Amino acid sequence: MMKWVLFVPELFYTLMALVFFGASLSKKVDPRRLYVWALALAGMGLLVSVLFARQEGMLFFDAYRVDLFSQVFKVLLALGTFWVIFSCSELKGINERQHAEFYFLMAVCTLAMMMLVSAVELLTIYVAIELSSYSLYLLVSMRQRADEYVETGIKYFMIGVTASAFMIFGISLLFGMVKSTYVIDVVRVLPTVIAQPAAVVGLVLALSGFFFKQALFPFHIWAPDVYQGAANQVTTYIGTASKMAAAAMVIRFVGFSGGESGVLIKLLVALSILSMTFGNLVAIIQKDLKRLLAYSSIAHAGYMMIGILSMSQRGFASAIYYALAYLVMTYACFMVIMRIAEDGRNLQIKELAGLHKRSPLLAMTLMLGLFGLAGIPPTVGFTGKFLVFAAALEKGYLALVIIGMINATISLYYYLIVIKAAYLLEPVHPYPAVYVDSWTRYLSIILVLAMVYLGVFPDQFVALTEAAARSLP
Amino acid sequence: MIAFFKDPVLLAAALATSLPFLSMATILIFTRHNQRLSASISIGAVTTSLLCALYLLVTLHSAGAPVQYEFPWLLADQLLIPFGYLLDPLSLLMLTIVAAVSFLVQVYSVGYMSGDPGYSRYYAFQSLFAWAMMSMVISPSMIQLFIFWELVGLASYLLIGFYYEKWSASQAGKKAFVMTRLGDIGFFLGLIILLLGFGNLSILKMNEAAQAHAISPHLLTLSALLIFGGVMGKSAQFPLLTWLPDAMEGPTPVSALLHSATMVAAGVYMFSRIFPFYSGSPEAMTMALAIGTITMLLSSTMAMATYDLKQVWAYSTVSQLGFMVMALAAGGYFAGVFHLTTHAGFKALLFLCSGIFIHEYHTNDFREIGRQGGRNLVIPMICMTIGALALSGIFPFSGFFSKEAVLGVLAMQPNRIWLLAGLLGALMTAYYSFRLIFFMLFPKGGIEAHGGRNGASPGHGGHEEEHHGAIFWCMAVPVMILAAITVVLGFSQSPLEHFLVGKAATGAHTLAVEGGGSHAATEGHSPVHYMVLISAVSMAVGGIAWAWLEFGRKKATQEGFLRWLPKIEQLFARRWYLDDFLRKFLDTAIYSGVTSLFTRNDRRIIDGGIDGICQFTVASGRLFSFLQSGMLQYNLLVMIGAVALVVLYFLM
Amino acid sequence: MSTEAFAQMAFWMLVGLTFAGAAIAVFPRNILHNVLGLALALAGVGGFYLYLGSFFIALMQLLIYVGAITIAIVFAIMLSRPLHLEIPKRAVPKVAMAAVASFIFFAAILGVVFRTQWTPAVERSTDWSVETIGHLLLTRYDLVFEVISLVLLVAIIGAIVTAGFTRRLSS
Amino acid sequence: MEMAHFPILSAILMSTILGLVTILFIPDDRPKLVKQVSLGFAGVGLILALWAYFSYDVQKGGLQFVERYLWVKSLGIYWFNALDGINAPMLLLTSVVLFTGVLTMWELELRVKEFFAFMFLLVAGVYGVFIAMDLFWIFVWYDVSLFPMYPLIAIWGGTRKEYGGMKLTLYLLAGSALILPAILYLWVQGGSTTFDLFELAKMGFSPQVQRTAFLMLYLGFGILAGVWPLHTWSPVGHVAAPTAVSMIHAGVLMKLGAYGILRLGMTLCPEGLQYWSQLMALLATIGIVYGAFVGLAQTDLKYVIGYSSVSHMGIVGLGLSTMTVNGINGAVFQMFAHGVMTALLFSAVGYIYDRTHTKMIPELGGLSKTMPVASAFFIIAAFAGIGVPFMASFWAELLVFISAVKTYPVRGILAVMGLVVSALFMLRVVQKTFYGEKNERWEHIPDVPLYLATPRIILVGVILFFGMFPKVMLDVIQSTVIPFVASLTA
Amino acid sequence: MNSLGTYLVIAAALFSLGLLGVLQRRNLIGMLIAVELMLNGANINFMAFNRFLAPEPAVGQIITLFVMGLAAAEAAIGLSIILVLFRRVHSINVERAQQLKG
């Protein structure tokens, strides 16, 4: 007997997708009305995922597992989606005729990611990840009036399908070792055969698909181009919600080996260091704000990996916390970008000049968000880094932590450049005043408070993430 | 608190030392703009201090043992830093001298400094000086002594650089401070070593312990030598002596106060203060003797080559200080202290007289003063001559007695060279002082008309004449008092000796025997002593006569024998190239050596290294960005290559 | 020649066919040749599926791949008229680097294949029937089955929207 | 866990945070009000700090005004604030410098609100570090105190402000790249159950652990403490920073570094200290001498002060490295004394710079004639820097040098020699800047008005008060240091 | 019949050949074709494991089936994106797409 109640969030998003599918069929729909609908539905979706956050159980012949881990990530996904849709009021990057499809793809993508975090069967995982990827390819390609960015879609697509080919090849090797597609079997069998090359190579190749989603070095190569080339809202979506799903999957997959393979951990350590260093170094020379954030996201994938490779419950919990922190901080930055570039253009760093006068609130939000990304207390970003590093040091990775901290210092440099632009530079030619409606204002204040609150009072959230980590198979 | 009022001695000591401080604070904070009030506050304070000092002197004249008060000021772990008063004959004597000279100088300054814009500041600094000096004098422990010693240095810095808008004045102040500080480093280290080795810096305890051989000889010698660094700095001993002549940049009364009677005497005072301690270390004593001798001879020669009125006295101060150090180092405790006392009197006299001349003629060149009719200022001229006679050691002036005592001590040294050096010094002293006097008395080429006192030159109205008069007397009275003291003081030798040596049970007298074996120096009139007496007097007279031959008599060329020895004159006038050496050392070793090396290192290597790391980081960012070439397939190649290598790695 | 040997020979011919097709799909610069090569290679792979015991999947291979995907590609080629465009020269360094990377990967996978001890499952069922596949599709892989329809829906809508066949064309 | 008392330490911290929040809610067009509010909150902090300082029970010693709550259960983080003899002077120092700093900036016109907001944030961090006794919080507050430096310097600064601000911020935060790992390392070594400083101190880590952790802490905090050769941010940053920021930064923030070494490094890793103390002493000595020599060649007033800070912080380092009661007494005292003194120096220079728009020594000169009071402040501070008796730093230097000569004779003597150079360069600056002929360029400049003189007078008063009555501070300091050193050697 | 190893090697070779195509083809459609080859390589793996190792022969077949479905969807999406690019720049040469870099 299936307990459909466990599946309510997913069903809700299916419904949402259907609504917009219907809307896309009708000839003429007012974009404002679509926006209101989307916002309402996304809000309800968030509500639903929160309401069903404490559900637990198995569905679809044990292929689908609803537990605290998955539900936490579902809430994060719903939150990210809600925020992104919230900031779609001026959806200038997308052709007005395609708004319905835009929301449709967004809903489908969220749905796919929700399935991804709950799926405990390799084929389901693969199909879910492909579904979400396809939606994203399409979303990225939808950007309007983007001649200079037209190559983005094809690049994303090509890299994506190559990575996915690697992934399915890796899954095939895993299948050959484990002879089952159930994660529970994988977790049971894999540590015993981890000495076999096929097992560990299969795991690594399978992981590459998630690394691709997470934009971990060397699977990061799409990230800068896509961040820069996609419409602002889509970039935000990729940078926030999509990252959550990827983080969840990486946590789950890395856990497969049970920490038995020292070689694998060494590899992950190397990837994490490379990712941090590469991301931070290249970010220094960026001019485009979104591209800069792309590189910073590469670096953050590395930080998150530090927590994951600790292979301990505290490590996974810290990675979850870090994901939460990353969601909030990145969204704060992107919200400011979207607000300032209301016509959907890309924002250069120097265009932030004089922001503190044009909109002090946004400037402050941006500053806190960037400081959070840099890991400066008392923001949530610091607490995230702290937890991650604590977990890593428990396993004795002192050098790794020091490298991570040095990287945090390097990253501060380019974050400060952005902050400098917002707070110091006088605009060369007068940029228009930024219009901030009251909802955005409330949201900024909430974000600011959230970043500080989560950073200063992390106790309950840490407890939550630890419970979530415990519920991993 | 109540203890203060119950004990008049303590009260007097506290008043004497703290009133000048209060006066300084009051002047600086409240009465900066009221000159007259400032002066009266300061003079009032110093008068009270003088009275207290005299009261203490009288009260404790016949107290058997030293009176000591100590209050714990600071207790840092085991280290106790007390604050208090040690009242024994030596400190009482010095306290009185300091108070008296300060008093006279301050009175004198009313006239000398009148009309100066920094009048109030001047008195504030004077009070600061008086406070520091008097507190230093009656310190019961070396730490307190050191603290006030430093403060004295500060006060002298401020007073020397009083005319701070004059470059040379501020330079001189700086030089004085830094050079004395150089010596103080030794002092400080010596104290620390002593503290660590011995554990107590109470003067009485130190002296007792050294006497009882309770301190290991190595420690004793080491710390004594280091502490002597302080003496070298403050009392301008070789090689730290060049700051003193430069310090004459300050107002003349300041020179009188600081650089004749009191501040520079601090070094000698400190030496005598822990004289028993020093006598525990023959090595240290010998070194001190040598340094004193060198100082005395060098500065005497320098005085022979200068034409600056104040500098002559400055050099002579240095040489007399050398003399005192010689006396003390030779074991003549009383001789040294006695010479200190008499010297304070006649040197203050000399400076104050010079001040009158300088004030009048606005020049420091004594040839110029003589030419303009310096001898017409009768009172100062007489007083100055008295001072010069005392300085040269002519009976019956005070200098005669003290110099005899010193030479007597030197004569007791087994090595005759010290005595010969002393006699040579006496000769030169007489020569250069009378060189100056004769220049002023018998100017070559007659006297020009001077618009000061006696001329009716334009620009000097009657009113100003009167004003001048008041000022003149304001300056003249202290001078005359000092002259009187100079005449009289010499005869107080035996009561003073009785007071200083006879009473102090642990005093220097018995120690002197051990230290230098100069029993006769204080005791008696042995044949040696007479011989010394005769030779000393003949040296003094000879010096005067020599000066007369060259400068005084009618046909004198007033050129001096040095004129025929230009190289040597140059040597003397350039202070044996000590300053040049110092400057050279500063320029090459410090400024363009270490400093510029360090600075360049700081900018280029340390800071440049940091900047380099940053630039390297940015550059490597640029470099790595080539990985993100924009070419899809190259990017893919990177990715796939990495995957392939990873897979290969897992096979290994 | 026994059946077995014949089968063996046929197998190697199939291999040759497949790789010939794959090579044609990859190397020539004429895109139509590539498509034909792809069709050939895919058909060959379908043959392997026969050898591997699944007629059903071999059929599907022909249907989906050769039937659907290849046709779609041909349509795209016609829409984008690449044949009228100049054919760029080969960049030798790029090809060389690509070959090296691919070869390293190939060699690495070879190593994996031969170094791993492949152990069959203890109990092996022999149920190759299509019914079982259908049963499983509706039970264990139910969710995937649903989702793949969604995937296709997204693909269709997305392709239409992205490629510009929007209401503009229809209306 | 006594909780009956008023949480005065949290209240001090809150005075800045509340001040910050209040400032943020003041409209932009009321700069005057911002200043008044800032002064009010700074005053509250000052009063509370004075209260805390003077009600610290010297006889009882140990930790007082303890506030301790569990903060994050799973990691063992506590909200743990307490006062002892080491942080009490630091707290006082911070409040004094903040109060005077606010007054010093009374004439600020550019973006007043933001300036004071950032400044309060900065000081909140400083207070936090000083009162916290939990490693997590110490680190949090430490970072909080650093990052506002960037906007403060880059917006309101002077010479090469963006470069200086960036360099300073990055350099200092690079230090935390070692501190955080060290803290976590110790936490892990202590069983990952608690960040409570004193509970960790009881764990007794193995010598190897202590050495590693101490070195990391020393280098990390050493950057902020201006340890040679990690000091070069100091001159550059100080030159770039606006007056009040320089005051707080050189006056208080640099102490944070030394405090961190003392509080974290030395408390947790006594054996590590033992192992590295030779190095510490060596670097400190080099710093003392080197700073003085380099200061001798500078032509920018603020550079001079920057290098004098390097030299003086060397004294702190030397004192700490001796591991004796008086060495540490002196080091803590020197932190306080140097803080007040440098604040005064910067504040004096700040006034001169505000009026003349130059701080190049060759361009100045003869300032004493035109602004005697303003010059007097600088000169007094310079004398405090030289170590003239009855200025607070004299006692500190005395104690440090006594211990240093005892523990490290050669290095101690070299350091004492450095005093001559430091006197030379201070006096050189005084001479060239304030003495000499009246400079016509500055003739029109008025002397300090009373409202701007007040903060400087307060600082002079503090210097002299603790110079005259060192007991008031030393008793507090050693009430903690004596048992601390006993535990070091035990 | 032939051993597991043979099929695995064939799969690996096919996959690598596809990889080569992805890496060196300039024609985007050519790249897409190469990706299809890679997916087929993976599919052969599944089928081979299914034949020689797996406990249930149905599972591998089902996976292969789904991968084929995904490949079809992928091709559709890829081709539509390629068409977008073609409309804008009138080329399907991948080397035309290198505006974004650094």
Side-chain angles (χ1 to χ4, degrees), chain A residues 95 98 141 143 146-148 150-151 154, chain C residues 75-82 85 158-169, chain E residues 28-29 76-93 96:
Chain A
N95 190 337
Q98 298 179 347
S141 311
R143 189 168 196 187
D147 290 340
E148 47 182 325
V150 70
E151 68 197 62
I154 193 65
Chain C
F75 265 110
I77 293 169
M78 286 154 98
L79 279 171
S80 62
R81 295 171 301 236
L85 304 172
I160 291 171
V161 172
T162 314
F165 303 106
T166 42
R167 284 172 291 257
R168 253 185 312 169
L169 286 182
Chain E
L28 281 169
I29 295 179
I77 291 169
L79 290 169
S80 69
I81 294 174
I82 292 171
L83 279 181
V84 173
L85 183 73
F86 176 75
R87 292 240 176 82
R88 295 263 169 84
V89 298
H90 297 286
S91 167
I92 51 170
N93 183 346
R96 290 294 181 85

Side-chain angles (χ1 to χ4, degrees), chain A residues 285-297:
Chain A
I285 60 165
Q286 298 307 320
K287 303 268 189 299
D288 186 300
L289 196 49
K290 284 199 300 180
R291 201 171 173 87
L292 182 141
L293 285 171
Y295 282 107
S296 119
S297 82

Side-chain angles (χ1 to χ4, degrees), chain B residues 73 75-77 147 150 154 157 164-165 170-171 174 181 185 188 595 598 601-603 606-607 610-611, chain D residues 163 167 171 229 231-232 290 293 297 307 325-326 383 386 389 398 416 420 427 431 435-437 468 478:
Chain B
W73 191 248
L75 178 66
D77 195 20
I147 288 169
E150 287 289 303
L154 173 67
Y157 168 78
Y164 56 78
E165 63 272 24
S170 57
Q171 188 72 17
K174 195 175 79 173
R181 188 142 250 244
I185 295 301
F188 185 49
T595 300
F598 280 5
N601 170 56
D602 203 60
R603 286 290 114 219
I606 299 186
D607 204 32
I610 298 298
D611 284 356
Chain D
Y163 168 78
K167 180 165 187 166
Y171 205 162
H231 64 275
T232 49
Y290 184 94
F293 271 116
Y307 281 108
V325 174
N326 274 340
F383 278 121
I386 291 171
L398 183 76
V416 176
V420 181
L427 292 182
Q431 182 194 19
Y435 295 166
E437 288 294 328
M468 302 263 182
Q478 63 186 349

Side-chain angles (χ1 to χ4, degrees), chain A residues 166, chain B residues 639-649, chain C residues 100-102 104-106 108:
Chain A
F166 275 107
Chain B
M639 174 176 129
I640 288 164
V643 174
L645 288 177
V646 164
V647 174
L648 213 58
Y649 173 72
Chain C
V100 168
S102 314
I104 293 177
F105 189 80
F106 178 61

Side-chain angles (χ1 to χ4, degrees), chain A residues 157-377:
Chain A
F157 175 79
M158 276 302 166
I159 300 166
V161 293
T162 316
S164 106
F166 275 107
M167 184 182 174
I168 193 68
F169 196 82
I171 290 180
S172 75
L173 290 180
L174 277 185
F175 176 69
M177 291 313 296
V178 181
K179 298 157 203 91
S180 161
T181 56
Y182 278 98
V183 162
I184 192 118
D185 295 324
V186 177
V187 173
R188 184 170 46 79
V189 176
L190 203 58
T192 64
V193 293
I194 200 76
Q196 301 278 355
V200 65
V201 167
L203 184 59
V204 169
L205 289 181
L207 273 172
S208 65
F210 302 113
F211 290 164
F212 163 79
K213 283 243 142 206
Q214 212 195 2
L216 192 78
F217 188 95
F219 303 94
H220 67 278
I221 43 176
W222 57 274
D225 296 350
V226 169
Y227 271 58
Q228 191 180 5
N232 290 347
Q233 280 79 2
V234 177
T235 309
T236 312
Y237 188 71
I238 294 173
T240 53
S242 166
K243 278 281 156 63
M244 296 304 106
M249 287 331 288
V250 172
I251 292 172
R252 175 159 280 163
F253 260 67
V254 169
F256 283 2
S257 76
E260 300 291 324
S261 170
V263 192
L264 179 68
I265 290 178
K266 259 187 219 160
L267 171 73
L268 294 179
V269 169
L271 286 188
S272 131
I273 291 174
L274 284 171
S275 203
M276 289 187 293
T277 315
F278 175 81
N280 283 328
L281 286 181
V282 182
I284 290 176
I285 60 165
Q286 298 307 320
K287 303 268 189 299
D288 186 300
L289 196 49
K290 284 199 300 180
R291 201 171 173 87
L292 182 141
L293 285 171
Y295 282 107
S296 119
S297 82
I298 296 170
H300 281 280
Y303 294 126
M304 217 182 288
M305 183 51 76
I306 293 181
I308 296 169
L309 59 82
S310 312
M311 300 277 188
S312 61
Q313 226 157 59
R314 186 171 261 150
F316 295 145
S318 72
I320 298 172
Y321 189 90
Y322 199 91
L324 164 72
Y326 183 75
L327 174 72
V328 180
M329 299 178 303
T330 316
Y331 181 70
C333 298
F334 275 115
M335 189 195 71
V336 176
I337 294 173
M338 287 186 284
R339 227 358 93 186
I340 297 170
E342 277 200 319
D343 54 352
R345 69 178 191 281
N346 264 23
L347 204 61
Q348 303 299 309
I349 292 174
K350 61 174 185 280
E351 282 180 73
L352 289 173
L355 184 63
H356 71 99
K357 256 185 239 153
R358 288 150 70 199
S359 171
L361 186 64
L362 286 186
M364 190 166 102
T365 313
L366 181 68
M367 184 177 73
L368 261 173
L370 291 174
F371 273 141
L373 287 172
I376 301 254

Side-chain angles (χ1 to χ4, degrees), chain B residues 423-596:
Chain B
L423 289 174
L424 182 62
L427 174 72
M428 287 196 285
T429 308
Y431 172 73
Y432 66 68
S433 10
F434 276 87
R435 169 170 169 268
L436 182 149
I437 295 288
F438 291 141
F439 256 118
M440 289 177 67
L441 278 178
F442 312 114
K444 201 79 186 162
I447 297 164
E448 292 164 18
H450 171 62
R453 279 191 52 72
N454 41 356
S457 73
H460 284 271
H463 178 71
E464 196 168 344
E465 197 78 353
E466 232 174 78
H467 179 63
H468 252 136
I471 288 172
F472 178 77
W473 285 111
C474 206
M475 296 193 278
V477 169
V479 169
M480 291 193 292
I481 295 173
L482 280 170
I485 289 174
T486 305
V487 175
V488 177
L489 193 62
F491 298 100
S492 67
Q493 181 178 10
S494 40
L496 209 56
E497 186 169 1
H498 187 63
F499 173 57
L500 275 174
V501 184
K503 286 284 173 61
T506 60
H509 177 58
T510 45
L511 271 169
V513 184
E514 290 173 35
S518 69
H519 194 63
T522 47
E523 281 284 309
H525 302 270
S526 61
V528 180
H529 188 79
Y530 285 116
M531 205 187 76
V532 169
L533 186 71
I534 291 161
S535 50
V537 171
S538 53
M539 279 298 161
V541 174
I544 294 172
W546 183 14
W548 169 257
L549 276 176
E550 285 187 343
F551 307 105
R553 67 198 168 96
K554 278 244 168 62
K555 286 178 197 159
T557 53
Q558 291 207 336
E559 279 184 335
F561 71 100
L562 284 173
R563 196 41 58 91
W564 296 296
L565 303 164
K567 280 264 168 60
I568 300 215
E569 186 184 25
Q570 184 72 3
L571 179 69
F572 291 173
R574 297 289 296 270
R575 305 175 188 170
W576 292 72
Y577 297 107
L578 274 175
D579 260 355
D580 300 72
F581 177 75
L582 193 72
R583 170 89 354 235
K584 197 123 198 154
F585 174 75
L586 265 181
D587 281 347
T588 55
I590 304 291
Y591 283 113
S592 56
V594 183
T595 300
S596 79

Side-chain angles (χ1 to χ4, degrees), chain D residues 108-137:
Chain D
L108 183 77
E109 277 161 10
L110 174 73
R111 293 164 78 176
V112 175
K113 185 175 135 180
E114 292 167 54
F115 180 86
F116 285 101
F118 280 126
M119 194 157 121
F120 269 76
L121 186 60
L122 167 70
V123 174
V126 176
Y127 275 138
V129 175
F130 285 141
I131 62 173
M133 294 292 163
D134 178 280
L135 298 190
F136 174 83
W137 282 108

